[in-house]
Amino acid sequence: MLSHEQIWGAIDRLAERHDLTPSGLARRAGLDPTSFNKSKRLSADGRLRWPSTESIAKVLDATGASMEQFLTFMRPAGSFSSLAEGAFPPQGSSIPLLGFAQAGAGGFFDDGGFPAGQGWDVVEFPTAPSQKAGVYALEVQGESMMPLYRDGDVLIVEPGAQVRRNDRVVVKTREGEVMAKVLLRQSPRSIELMSLNPEHPNRTIELSDVDWIARIIWASQ
């Protein structure tokens, strides 16, 4: 059962993802700028007011977001409750660890980019998972991310975290390619990524080809 708070929270997070206020998001979608204001979320008599499916459809079209991504924004921060059956459970001060070479294979992530399934190792994380549940680690393999990240470095990734320009991110395409890049720009239709290794070209990827994007929050070097 979706709650009133989850729906409006997803709209707020979608606006933040595109560096917009709720009013700015409504304007981009061709709606009345006040459509998503806090004051519009309750009627005069205190009853809950829900956004229409038409409004949500216009917002998704304007931002290039999919319904799957929108549903991901409804996930409560730090929650494992909506992970698929067999998802990696929180363990004390440890988090799931997977090599980059394996990350592109199917079965290791749910639709929101959260760790799931079998085959994960574990690594100690300096921040309690209870404060950042859902984080996982990817181990760098090879020299493609030099000089910033070397073979054997461990990157801590937080799916669902707000991603902004110049953030270091991990991106998984629908074809199964997994890469660590710097987010240069995100438009309603595509993302522009700067390669960490100057010998590798920058990339522009259509959002329709992106499975998920997650922020790198820490690296062991």
Side-chain angles (χ1 to χ4, degrees), residues 4 12 27 41 43 56 68 76 117 131 136 157 167 177-178 182 219:
H4 180 266
D12 290 339
R27 189 177 296 109
R41 301 180 186 188
S43 62
I56 293 175
E68 288 78 10
Q131 312 231 335
Y136 60 90
V157 180
D167 280 349
E177 183 181 7
V178 178
V182 175

Side-chain angles (χ1 to χ4, degrees), residues 1-220:
M1 177 73 70
L2 297 178
S3 71
H4 180 266
E5 182 180 0
Q6 284 177 310
I7 294 288
W8 283 113
I11 289 175
D12 290 339
R13 282 187 280 277
L14 182 61
E16 291 173 1
R17 178 79 175 266
H18 292 273
D19 295 323
L20 297 168
T21 63
S23 295
L25 180 63
R27 189 177 296 109
R28 176 180 287 189
L31 302 170
D32 185 303
T34 66
S35 297
F36 300 150
N37 285 4
K38 302 288 186 182
S39 59
K40 291 292 187 74
R41 301 180 186 188
L42 293 174
S43 62
D45 59 4
R47 288 182 298 172
L48 301 180
R49 179 176 288 165
W50 298 72
S52 69
T53 53
E54 182 181 7
S55 295
I56 293 175
K58 287 184 176 181
V59 162
L60 296 182
D61 183 63
T63 59
S66 67
M67 179 55 73
E68 288 78 10
Q69 290 170 322
F70 186 75
L71 292 174
T72 298
F73 291 141
M74 296 183 194
R75 187 192 305 272
S79 172
F80 274 80
S81 60
S82 57
L83 289 180
E85 183 74 21
F88 199 103
Q91 298 188 16
S93 60
S94 300
I95 61 173
L97 169 68
L98 188 70
F100 258 88
Q102 291 77 43
F108 289 109
F109 300 94
D110 70 1
D111 291 341
F114 285 70
Q118 307 298 318
W120 292 80
D121 202 346
V122 294
V123 64
E124 294 299 308
F125 183 48
T127 299
S130 61
Q131 312 231 335
K132 284 189 177 292
V135 298
Y136 60 90
L138 292 173
E139 183 176 2
V140 176
Q141 297 168 324
E143 308 298 327
S144 65
M145 302 178 199
M146 289 283 286
L148 187 59
Y149 299 132
R150 299 166 295 183
D151 184 60
D153 286 347
V154 174
L155 310 182
I156 307 299
V157 180
E158 183 180 4
Q162 183 177 354
V163 178
R164 295 183 179 275
R165 183 180 302 174
N166 296 323
D167 280 349
R168 295 173 187 175
V169 296
V170 173
V171 176
K172 182 174 183 290
T173 69
R174 296 193 183 279
E175 294 183 351
E177 183 181 7
V178 178
M179 65 195 86
K181 304 283 186 183
V182 175
L183 180 64
L184 290 181
R185 181 174 178 270
Q186 179 169 329
S187 73
R189 301 296 180 189
S190 64
I191 55 173
E192 296 179 17
L193 303 169
M194 181 178 70
S195 293
L196 303 174
N197 187 329
E199 295 183 1
H200 291 256
N202 294 345
R203 298 280 297 273
T204 298
I205 305 176
E206 296 295 315
L207 282 177
S208 59
D209 295 328
V210 174
D211 193 4
W212 49 258
I213 179 170
R215 184 159 60 92
I216 299 171
I217 60 172
W218 186 81
S220 68

